[in-house]
Amino acid sequence: MWEEINALLSQSWSRIFTAVANFLPGLLALLVILLFTIAIAGLVRLVLRRFLRGIHFDEWVIRWGFPDVAEWSPKRSPSLLLIRIASWTILLLGFLAGISALDAALPSMLVVGLFEYIPNVLAAALVLAVGAFASRFLARSVLIGAVNMKLQSARLVSIGVKWLVLVLAGAMALQHLRIGGSIVTLSFGILFGGIVLALALAIGLGSKDMVSRSWEQQSQPDKETEEHVHHL
Amino acid sequence: MAEVDVIVERAEPAIREQGTADILIAVPTFNNENTIGAVLNAARTALLQFPQRKALIAHLDGGSTDSTVQRAKDSLQGAACFAQVSYPVYPIHRLEVSHHSVPGKDSAYRTIFFMAQELDVRACCIVGGDAVLTPDWIASLVQPILELGFDLAAPSYQGPKYDGLLVKTALYPLLRALFGKGLKQPIGSDFGYSPRLIRHCLQESWNNEAARRDVDLWIDVQAVQNDMKLCQVYLGFRPRSVKEGGQDVSSILSNLVGAVYLEMERTAELWQRVRGSNPIPSVGLRFDPETDEQVIDVKPMIQAFRIGFAHLQDIWALALPPATVLELKRLSRQPEDQFRFPAELWARIVYDFAVAHRLRLIGRDHLLRTLTPLYMGCIASVILNMLGSNNSQNEDEIERICLAYEAQKPYLISRWRWPDRFMP
């Protein structure tokens, strides 16, 4: 009886040791790949930093007409943003390559799945980034335009536009990530439809006088003033 | 096809037919069927004052959709000294929101200058076809070029005291402080040019933002930069175009101030050496209009400034030093009857915006449009200062603003040179 138990246990132990022994080279390979990746990422960081500093990349980004990039970057430095994106991408790719080196079925499937999912993530990130930039740009444009039209609620309108674009971008990103499915489309449709309906009701029922007064002012801006003041 | 080739192709027949001329009077138009006939007749009458000179009256149309071209043809039917030329107008010219009376004004001027050079003229006069002018006006613009040796004859219009406040509070003082030349009307529709200035302008690249935004300003700066002889001609009251009015102040302001800022970048080495200013010789007889007091309600302007301060101070803070933002906060709390916008503060703001424009601290169009509420505050204060004043007092008020610009110029130079270090 004991001998059989001992034999079973020793077989189990030997299977475990064999599995661990089989796993160790993969782990070692993962560690080596990770170290190698970290070294590459560090090197890329160094080279990129020197290169971008050399060409005054931060100034060029602003001169090219993208001052918002600086506002969104860590320490207001687009170079730093670019360096971090590059190094984290290398680290992520290295980590995924390392996991595949483990030669285990589950991690390998995970890696394959992740690699297949990467285009969706990249597309979603791109949509979000463009949405974030567009929302800031449009919000500022609307704010300045509304202030120049002397609208007291300029800030409110601007924030409304900003969130509308952000929500739109978020919904598009979620669709790319295949999260939420039809719920996102449905809730987005309901949200937009609700806003439009609310505006239509507000104009049709409650604020028609205000709107007509507003249009009147638009068509004849500051009649008393503009009659006599020609700016040119 | 390059723009210059299009210009050559379109202007060549008129040049070949005429050969040479001493005087070129050019009238650019766009949908001016009601006024073009009178303007061309005035031009023909004006030429009677120069009987010994061979002249050409050129009508350049920017693609009018009314009967402007036909009416122009009818009014000078059979005249040997008349030519009709079309200049290149691109879709972008039609789409852009502009204060110009004709689309693609820079293309029109380039065509006129090309014709003037090819005809070897001794004086070129451009008059707008959008308002009925007297023959004296045209002759007055030609004479200083032809007989007194000036290179640029700028108009000096007389009009209601609240007219041209953008020119009086921003363009004239800014250009005067920068280049030291007191050109009171740097933009307009009626100018006289010498062959020397024309030749120089044609050698420069016209494919630039400043020329596209306002070609008058660009030519003025070219003339100043090359030390040419400038004069201003008293022309009296210029009737307003029927099409004028309802213009977006914000667009006009950003277009014109943006054009000066672009020229500031290009000529930074020059204007940093200039100190003080000199008056420009004036030609012609001056008739001051009677000062009939106009009733202007400045409350909407002050309100515009206050709304601007409430919502835009975050953006202003990117361009303006903290002390200036603090001062604006104080101004926004002033009662309407005591509202005064110090000229020195306004000058510093215009200079700070120039620095921010150069450094592209935020998008340039956004930056320039945020200047509108500040401008409204400034002109509200100017109007309040001018209430009940006569012509001489009005001029003193504008002179005070100009002197404030000149006094603050060292501030501009410091900020321009050391934008990070010099931030009071």
Side-chain angles (χ1 to χ4, degrees), chain A residues 43-114:
Chain A
L43 192 71
V44 167
R45 246 178 118 90
L46 197 75
V47 171
L48 214 55
R49 186 184 296 154
R50 285 198 178 170
F51 174 69
L52 294 176
R53 199 176 287 170
I55 62 165
H56 302 287
F57 182 73
D58 290 356
E59 289 167 29
W60 277 111
V61 167
I62 295 170
R63 277 191 202 165
W64 286 333
F66 300 103
D68 285 351
V69 177
E71 287 174 39
W72 277 76
S73 306
K75 295 180 185 171
R76 289 184 62 84
S77 167
S79 315
L80 202 59
L81 181 73
L82 198 68
I83 290 165
R84 283 191 185 174
I85 288 172
S87 58
W88 278 107
T89 307
I90 292 168
L91 283 176
L92 185 71
L93 288 175
F95 182 68
L96 291 175
I99 283 182
S100 67
L102 285 173
D103 198 26
L106 188 66
S108 292
M109 277 168 66
L110 185 74
V111 170
V112 171
L114 274 174

Side-chain angles (χ1 to χ4, degrees), chain A residues 62-63 65 67 71 137 140-141 143-144 147-148 150-152 154-155 222 224-225 228-232, chain B residues 163-166 240 249-250 256 295-297 301 303 307-308 311 359-360 362-363 366 369-370 372-373 375:
Chain A
I62 295 170
R63 277 191 202 165
E71 287 174 39
F137 180 82
R140 191 175 272 175
S141 299
L143 177 68
I144 294 167
V147 165
N148 288 339
K150 298 171 199 160
L151 290 183
Q152 292 280 5
R155 176 78 63 185
D222 300 332
E224 277 177 74
T225 313
H228 297 298
V229 176
H230 289 279
H231 298 277
L232 291 178
Chain B
D163 266 18
L165 283 174
L166 174 57
R240 292 248 160 223
V249 188
S250 185
L256 290 171
V295 181
I296 300 269
D297 183 11
M301 300 176 191
Q303 189 64 11
I307 293 173
H311 297 296
L359 299 175
R360 295 179 192 262
I362 59 168
H366 282 169
R369 282 176 188 273
T370 59
T372 312
Y375 165 71

Side-chain angles (χ1 to χ4, degrees), chain B residues 38-295:
Chain B
V39 175
L40 290 176
N41 281 320
R44 186 159 61 174
T45 313
L47 289 177
L48 297 175
Q49 294 189 33
F50 309 98
Q52 308 298 321
R53 307 284 187 179
K54 190 181 176 193
L56 174 68
I57 300 170
H59 169 229
L60 290 95
D61 191 72
S64 297
T65 49
D66 62 3
S67 58
T68 305
V69 177
Q70 189 55 44
R71 288 203 182 180
K73 203 177 282 180
D74 294 344
S75 61
L76 290 187
Q77 190 78 47
C81 63
F82 178 61
Q84 279 187 305
V85 178
S86 67
Y87 64 90
V89 180
Y90 302 104
I92 186 73
H93 289 139
R94 297 196 190 284
L95 290 172
E96 68 187 358
V97 181
S98 162
H99 59 280
H100 299 139
S101 52
V102 293
K105 195 175 174 182
D106 52 326
S107 292
Y109 272 49
R110 195 175 181 185
T111 309
I112 294 165
F113 280 14
F114 173 74
M115 288 177 72
Q117 183 173 260
E118 293 299 303
L119 290 167
D120 199 18
V121 300
R122 297 186 61 192
C124 171
C125 170
I126 300 179
V127 288
D130 56 341
V132 180
L133 315 172
T134 65
D136 285 344
W137 275 40
I138 299 167
S140 304
L141 288 166
V142 171
Q143 204 172 21
I145 307 290
L146 205 58
E147 293 166 8
L148 303 175
F150 286 105
D151 292 304
L152 174 71
S156 177
Y157 303 120
Q158 297 293 314
K161 62 180 174 183
Y162 301 130
D163 266 18
L165 283 174
L166 174 57
V167 176
K168 289 171 183 170
T169 60
L171 300 182
Y172 162 49
L174 180 56
L175 288 171
R176 176 175 147 176
L178 288 175
F179 301 110
K181 309 272 185 189
L183 197 62
K184 287 185 179 173
Q185 191 68 44
I187 58 165
S189 302
D190 320 299
F191 281 89
Y193 303 103
S194 75
R196 184 171 161 233
L197 177 56
I198 288 170
R199 209 168 32 250
H200 172 78
C201 288
L202 283 174
Q203 282 165 359
E204 293 293 314
S205 165
W206 288 65
N207 189 20
N208 65 74
E209 178 86 12
R212 197 181 57 74
R213 277 174 182 256
D214 197 283
V215 72
D216 293 331
L217 275 175
W218 181 73
I219 295 171
D220 293 342
V221 176
Q222 292 291 342
V224 170
Q225 201 184 352
N226 291 282
D227 210 19
M228 299 210 178
K229 282 179 74 182
L230 316 180
C231 73
Q232 42 200 9
V233 183
Y234 290 124
L235 293 180
F237 176 68
R238 188 179 207 279
R240 292 248 160 223
S241 164
V242 187
K243 290 186 289 183
E244 274 184 51
Q247 291 171 318
D248 175 24
V249 188
S250 185
S251 300
I252 300 172
L253 185 72
S254 62
N255 231 0
L256 290 171
V257 177
V260 182
Y261 286 167
L262 287 168
E263 287 300 282
M264 278 176 77
E265 274 184 59
R266 193 176 61 81
T267 57
E269 276 185 31
L270 170 72
W271 60 257
Q272 287 186 53
R273 290 198 303 266
V274 176
R275 296 284 182 273
S277 68
N278 298 311
I280 283 178
S282 295
V283 180
L285 293 172
R286 177 177 169 163
F287 299 101
D288 284 334
E290 286 182 19
T291 50
D292 51 331
E293 194 56 55
Q294 300 163 333
V295 181

